[in-house]
Amino acid sequence: MAVIVAAAFAVACAFCQLVDQGFTDTPILPGQTWHVHDPARPHPHVVTPAGAPGGAPSDAVVLFDGKDLSHWVNLRGGQAVAPAWKLENGYVEVVDRAGDLVSKEKFGDAQIHVEWASPAVVAGSSQSRGNSGVIIMSRYEIQVLDCYNNPTYADGQAGGIYGQWPPLVNPARPPGEWQTYDIAFEAPRFEGEKLVKPAYVTVFYNGVLVHNHKQILGAMVYRKVATYSPHAAEEPLLLQDHHNPVRYRNIWVRRLAGYDQP
Ligand code: MG
């Protein structure tokens, strides 16, 4: 009996292997160049995921692992200077008027992971309570703010596309607790001076979806309607010095390419 079962299993597996190689007699997928189950379609690159949630996968650029600020500069008066934000205990903390912290490396389409904490000791209210920002391409701000029982205008809440769209919901943790942003960002495209495709963003805030492929209106601006100005295909990631001692840790970015990369 065991022999018969084993023989049947071997035949089935041989059949599986043939089938797993794909088909060329199947229809072409609409809008694509590939057959359904096309054996010639490139296999996705192998990425080793992190050992724990929130960790950097193998193809990520780790911008800050808690040890040093070698991937960053401070931007002060338009000049790049050595980082002056406070580095201690595995995090970096905004130093008032030290300037924005800007990555040396530049990114376009990207997956971005950032962890942040607003001050445990509450000071100020509304927009002056734990304000900072994750500013993608140095232009498109996902607001950082202590929004735990802190009323402010909706499009200025944490997780909001500042001045444009509030977060879909408010999943804020209490002051002092670590919070996460996981962002998928599609950079805008320009042809010369002309915008040919706006930016889009998807944001998970503490694991909760707060933007789902939302179109960005333009570069962050205060009390005005955002507009686009042409810029390079890749630009630095910027963490905002909004004068409050917000902390950051575990920052990594994956450059995103399309499907079917050879
Ligand atoms: Mg801000």
Side-chain angles (χ1 to χ4, degrees):
M1 182 64 185
V3 172
I4 295 168
V5 170
F9 186 71
V11 169
C13 281
F15 180 70
C16 285
Q17 281 167 9
L18 280 176
V19 167
D20 285 349
Q21 290 168 12
F23 299 88
T24 54
D25 60 350
T26 45
I28 295 285
L29 287 159
Q32 303 188 35
T33 56
W34 308 104
H35 290 272
V36 177
H37 313 312
D38 198 321
R41 192 163 193 167
H43 292 98
H45 292 289
V46 173
V47 172
T48 306
S58 60
D59 62 345
V61 178
V62 178
L63 291 178
F64 180 60
D65 64 0
K67 297 192 182 89
D68 65 70
L69 290 171
S70 59
H71 290 270
W72 302 86
V73 294
N74 270 130
L75 204 57
R76 204 175 309 150
Q79 295 291 315
V81 298
W85 286 18
K86 187 162 71 176
L87 175 66
E88 61 179 17
N89 302 325
Y91 60 77
V92 62
E93 183 178 293
V94 177
V95 170
D96 185 13
R97 290 171 217 284
D100 299 322
L101 195 68
V102 182
S103 69
K104 292 178 182 173
E105 209 160 326
K106 299 176 178 181
F107 306 94
D109 293 352
Q111 176 185 350
I112 302 165
H113 177 88
V114 175
E115 299 178 18
W116 60 273
S118 55
V121 178
V122 170
S125 61
S126 185
Q127 291 290 307
S128 61
R129 179 170 146 183
N131 195 335
S132 182
V134 174
I135 305 188
I136 304 163
M137 300 195 92
S138 305
R139 288 167 174 79
Y140 309 109
E141 181 176 17
I142 304 303
Q143 171 72 314
V144 167
L145 191 75
D146 177 1
C147 280
Y148 192 81
N149 298 327
N150 178 31
T152 188
Y153 47 85
D155 66 17
Q157 284 193 213
I161 303 169
Y162 184 80
Q164 302 181 24
W165 292 101
L168 289 164
V169 293
N170 176 9
R173 291 198 169 111
E177 290 194 13
W178 286 103
Q179 317 205 48
T180 61
Y181 284 167
D182 287 284
I183 300 168
F185 177 77
E186 288 180 32
R189 302 294 198 269
F190 301 92
E191 284 175 5
E193 294 293 300
K194 187 163 168 272
L195 176 76
V196 293
K197 179 179 172 287
Y200 291 88
V201 73
T202 299
V203 180
F204 289 88
Y205 173 13
N206 291 332
V208 178
L209 184 72
V210 294
H211 300 288
N212 187 7
H213 200 252
K214 197 67 199 163
Q215 184 176 325
I216 295 176
L217 297 177
M220 184 271 288
V221 69
Y222 178 54
R223 298 186 60 182
K224 292 181 179 154
V225 175
T227 57
Y228 283 96
S229 297
H231 57 73
E234 294 194 328
E235 295 283 0
L237 182 67
L238 183 151
L239 304 176
Q240 185 184 40
D241 170 9
H242 204 285
H243 319 308
N244 302 153
V246 173
R247 294 172 179 175
Y248 289 93
R249 71 177 186 188
N250 190 21
I251 302 171
W252 51 262
V253 181
R254 295 182 58 244
R255 288 193 171 83
L256 299 180
Y259 290 98
D260 304 314
Q261 298 299 304

